[in-house]
Amino acid sequence: MTPKEVMELAKKNNIEIIDLKFMDLIGSWQHFSIPISRLDEAFFEDGLGFDGSSIRGWQAINASDMLVIPDPSTAVEDPFMQVATLSMLCDIFDPITREKYSRDPRNIAQKAEAYLQSTGIGDAAYFGPEAEFFILDDVRYRSDTNQAFYYIDSVEGSWNTGREESPNLGYKPRHKEGYFPVSPSDSLHDIRTEMMLIMQKIGMTMECHHHEVATGGQSEIATRFSTLTKSADNLMWYKYIVKNVAKKYGKTATFMPKPIYGDNGSGMHVHQSIWKGGKPLFAGNGYAGFSETGLHYIGGILKHASAICAFAAPTTNSYRRLVPGFEAPVNLAYSSRNRSAAIRIPMYSPSPKAKRMEARFPDPSSNGYLVFSAMLMAGLDGIENKIDPGEPLDKDIYALGPEELAHIPRLPDSLDGSLRALEEDHDFLLKGDVFTQDLLDKWVDYKREKEIDEVRVRPTPMEFHLYYDV
């Protein structure tokens, strides 16, 4: 869509407000709105100034002036505003140099796609994230000097079988039995349907929706793969729509990886493939129908997985999910069909066009622009350097004994460990100026100062349970 076509669309739909959305460094949408009277073709060149020092992980106050310029190809009518509103995703520019901002996550995704093309390896990278989430009925939390607690509740929670609900109908999915019962045990079908139809209405291609494994309202809506930047754009719309539809029903949705103790956390399995000239490069005659190129891509992901975790599992809560012996894959192995491996080669279809790999360790707290870009850069490093992924592991890794497990490398067990891995292994990200050293330093500093240290210095209720009477 061109600027002229955006203006025609706005006129046709009687748009009154233009909403400009962009991504902060950590992974949340920010926005501001202008009246339709301010929109003309020059706006797509001149943009609008704003204070970059007030955005997480961005500018210092003495260099705060930034420009936001909308991408006309992203224009869609916002499905939640009372007044007719046209939303556009934006890119961030330096107002003096007119260069794209190096800490704008969307810019990094665009540079990753450009780098792929510059290598001659392929001309398109496709990503298909499967983001899981919880739909809850109540959430409360607080952390003060003398107290700390969280409380979540769901009408579906297995802990509520004995609650007075006037009447309690008893349909509560048991722990690890939420995949996937019909109504009335699945009480969220209509809500997910509305979410899926709204996603479809704004232009996303949908595949299915279903209840997920955990009790307490865990869900997933499957979207079709797209190119890297577009897929990251879609992921943000996905989160926005899920949260706002839940709010409409008086519920709340979270993409926090591990909000419930004792049941499955929420992952974001990421399907990936590279194409060139309309042909899939991962299809071949090797293991699981994979090509040498595809296996080298997997080799790159496995080699750099610990560093990738700084973006793929970017919260302290992520490592409540990535725990050895539990449902999330922490062992750096690959396999066909095997969901206990960190990388799986799906075997649903014999078609070469369906040949792809799936990274199973990321979670939905991640910034899609950054994690997709990091995985593409790791995979390309694997192709360029012909990195051997080793032998596949087709056994149930969860059932292996200590001797066998000792030979399988693992992901870091904490966010701090992932950040250390990123500090030690990041040259592959700097190729083509896709990631900059400035951005990586800022990411590590922000995560340590604003998240790790804040969690580290606070006692938890379980510590009182374990140690109060020592």
Side-chain angles (χ1 to χ4, degrees):
M1 192 177 298
T2 65
K4 184 178 180 180
E5 289 171 333
V6 170
M7 296 181 68
E8 291 171 351
L9 176 66
K11 184 177 181 180
K12 176 184 176 182
N13 292 357
N14 297 313
I15 296 296
E16 296 184 54
I17 297 294
I18 301 295
D19 196 57
L20 305 173
K21 294 180 170 68
F22 61 95
M23 174 77 87
D24 69 12
L25 178 62
I26 307 306
S28 295
W29 256 353
Q30 311 295 318
H31 81 130
F32 52 87
S33 303
I34 61 173
I36 188 63
S37 60
R38 290 203 61 182
L39 186 69
D40 55 25
E41 290 193 52
F43 187 80
F44 292 90
E45 294 288 337
D46 299 336
L48 197 64
F50 71 101
D51 176 10
S53 69
S54 296
I55 305 300
R56 294 188 302 174
W58 278 14
Q59 293 291 87
I61 197 168
N62 60 310
S64 59
D65 287 356
M66 303 294 291
L67 279 179
V68 59
I69 298 180
D71 179 346
S73 70
T74 66
V76 294
E77 189 164 356
D78 194 294
F80 300 108
M81 301 298 106
Q82 292 183 5
V83 174
T85 299
L86 193 71
S87 282
M88 285 186 282
L89 308 189
C90 300
D91 297 315
I92 309 302
F93 288 77
D94 185 289
I96 298 174
T97 66
R98 301 293 295 191
E99 293 180 348
K100 286 190 174 182
Y101 184 41
S102 64
R103 294 186 192 172
D104 175 11
R106 196 164 189 264
N107 177 34
I108 293 165
Q110 293 164 348
K111 288 193 293 183
E113 290 184 297
Y115 178 73
L116 165 64
Q117 294 170 3
S118 76
T119 65
I121 292 171
D123 48 39
Y126 292 101
F127 285 77
E130 299 175 341
E132 298 166 344
F133 56 93
F134 281 86
I135 300 174
L136 303 169
D137 291 281
D138 190 24
V139 56
R140 286 174 273 151
Y141 51 88
R142 188 162 182 171
S143 182
D144 292 330
T145 299
N146 67 322
Q147 65 172 327
F149 79 94
Y150 73 88
Y151 174 85
I152 62 174
D153 202 10
S154 164
V155 70
E156 283 195 359
S158 61
W159 55 86
N160 281 326
T161 54
R163 185 174 68 174
E164 179 58 56
E165 293 180 352
S166 302
N168 188 323
L169 302 179
Y171 296 107
K172 320 286 186 186
R174 290 176 286 273
H175 283 281
K176 299 185 182 297
E177 294 188 20
Y179 189 85
F180 13 68
V182 298
S183 176
S185 292
D186 178 5
S187 68
L188 302 168
H189 174 90
D190 290 336
I191 297 177
R192 293 195 309 270
T193 292
E194 183 168 335
M195 292 170 178
M196 185 174 73
L197 292 178
I198 291 176
M199 292 177 195
Q200 189 167 275
K201 185 177 179 181
I202 68 160
M204 295 171 63
T205 303
M206 310 307 298
E207 296 193 339
C208 68
H209 73 74
H210 56 84
H211 205 287
E212 259 297 344
V213 173
T215 189
Q218 193 181 34
S219 297
E220 182 184 319
I221 304 172
T223 63
R224 191 166 176 80
F225 64 87
S226 189
T227 53
L228 191 156
T229 301
K230 181 63 176 176
S231 185
D233 290 345
N234 286 344
L235 179 60
M236 292 313 299
W237 275 110
Y238 180 101
K239 291 183 176 183
Y240 180 73
I241 290 167
V242 164
K243 291 175 182 178
N244 279 281
V245 172
K247 181 174 179 287
K248 172 185 172 182
Y249 283 85
K251 296 179 181 289
T252 178
T254 181
F255 291 88
M256 185 176 175
K258 191 70 173 179
I260 293 178
Y261 164 72
D263 212 333
N264 283 30
S266 291
M268 186 177 73
H269 308 147
V270 182
H271 296 254
Q272 304 164 50
S273 64
I274 296 178
W275 290 51
K276 185 175 184 179
K279 295 181 180 180
L281 298 185
F282 286 3
N285 299 317
Y287 172 79
F290 242 51
S291 66
E292 186 177 58
T293 296
L295 291 172
H296 288 154
Y297 187 96
I298 289 174
I301 297 285
L302 290 174
K303 176 181 178 180
H304 300 297
S306 294
I308 293 171
C309 264
F311 300 109
T315 68
T316 59
N317 185 254
S318 298
Y319 299 86
R320 312 293 188 211
R321 170 180 172 263
L322 292 175
V323 177
F326 289 84
E327 77 281 356
V330 299
N331 296 290
L332 291 173
Y334 75 102
S335 177
S336 66
R337 305 179 66 182
N338 187 351
R339 295 172 190 268
S340 67
I343 293 178
R344 181 174 75 101
I345 300 174
M347 300 297 289
Y348 296 125
S349 171
S351 170
K353 293 183 178 180
K355 193 56 64 179
R356 63 198 186 274
M357 61 139 286
E358 174 196 32
R360 296 182 60 80
F361 55 90
D363 71 55
S365 68
S366 59
N367 180 328
Y369 299 101
L370 299 184
V371 69
F372 300 164
S373 299
M375 286 190 288
L376 176 61
M377 297 302 289
L380 291 176
D381 186 61
I383 294 171
E384 291 170 327
N385 292 293
K386 300 186 184 304
I387 297 174
D388 185 353
E391 293 298 317
L393 191 60
D394 292 329
K395 299 178 181 180
D396 179 358
I397 300 174
Y398 302 137
L400 295 181
E403 291 185 4
E404 289 179 287
L405 283 173
H407 301 291
I408 304 172
R410 285 182 176 174
L411 294 168
D413 60 5
S414 68
L415 178 56
D416 196 45
S418 293
L419 294 177
R420 288 197 302 271
L422 179 63
E423 288 176 315
E424 295 169 1
D425 176 26
H426 59 259
D427 287 348
F428 70 100
L429 297 172
L430 301 176
K431 294 179 181 179
D433 198 39
V434 175
F435 288 76
T436 63
Q437 190 65 53
D438 168 74
L439 180 140
L440 297 176
D441 291 343
K442 186 63 180 181
W443 182 264
V444 170
D445 290 346
Y446 184 95
K447 287 288 175 177
R448 284 193 173 131
E449 179 184 348
K450 301 294 186 181
E451 298 180 26
I452 292 173
D453 288 349
E454 291 292 337
V455 171
R456 180 180 286 153
V457 299
R458 286 170 167 78
T460 67
M462 180 53 66
E463 288 175 310
F464 277 82
H465 175 77
L466 293 172
Y467 307 128
Y468 185 76
D469 62 348
V470 294

